[in-house]
């Protein structure tokens, strides 16, 4: 099971990172906080202080096209907010 799917990089997350040293990831919906903490520490070599998780339910979306109304659903996902030890950071742009 791949626990960390991808980091979320939005304006709101950038403010969290600058002010509170927190980073946000989309994670596997079956992963718990202990597994998420271990995965971040192993992948980035940092010390995790806290992990907060949130589940987002998929929403129904519809749009009008020439063929009529098309409806669909956005996928359900789980998000994890990772708080790192003071002085540590994750650099997403220069990490290989």
């Amino acid at each position: 099971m791949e626990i960390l799917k991808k980091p979320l990089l939005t304006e709101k997350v950038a403010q969290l990172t600058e002010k509170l040293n927190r980073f946000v990831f989309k994670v596997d919906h079956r992963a718990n906080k202990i597994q998420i903490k271990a995965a971040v520490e192993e992948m980035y070599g940092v010390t995790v202080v806290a992990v907060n998780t949130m589940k987002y339910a998929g929403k129904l979306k519809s749009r009008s096209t020439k063929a009529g109304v098309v409806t669909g659903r956005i996928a359900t996902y789980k998000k994890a907010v990772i708080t790192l030890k003071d002085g540590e950071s994750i650099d997403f742009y220069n990490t290989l």
Side-chain angles (χ1 to χ4, degrees):
M1 169 172 60
E2 181 184 336
I3 294 174
L4 299 177
K5 300 232 182 240
K6 67 178 185 176
L8 292 177
L9 303 171
T10 62
E11 290 180 19
K12 192 172 183 179
V13 171
Q15 289 177 353
L16 276 176
T17 301
E18 291 172 8
K19 294 180 182 176
L20 301 173
N21 202 24
R22 293 183 179 176
F23 296 86
V24 181
F25 293 90
K26 258 189 184 179
V27 296
D28 188 271
H29 70 279
R30 297 167 291 184
N32 60 29
K33 292 181 181 187
I34 297 167
Q35 293 170 332
I36 294 168
K37 178 180 177 179
V40 171
E41 288 178 344
E42 179 185 334
M43 183 174 280
Y44 295 104
V46 293
T47 305
V48 175
V49 175
V51 178
N52 299 91
T53 59
M54 296 163 249
K55 286 187 175 182
Y56 285 89
K59 297 179 182 177
L60 287 174
K61 293 281 189 168
S62 62
R63 66 176 186 261
S64 298
T65 63
K66 288 182 181 179
V69 177
V70 177
T71 59
R73 178 174 281 281
I74 293 178
T76 302
Y77 65 96
K78 187 173 189 177
K79 185 165 84 169
V81 180
I82 310 295
T83 306
L84 297 182
K85 185 177 175 184
D86 288 339
E88 294 189 357
S89 181
I90 297 174
D91 187 12
F92 294 120
Y93 301 107
N94 293 327
T95 312
L96 294 176

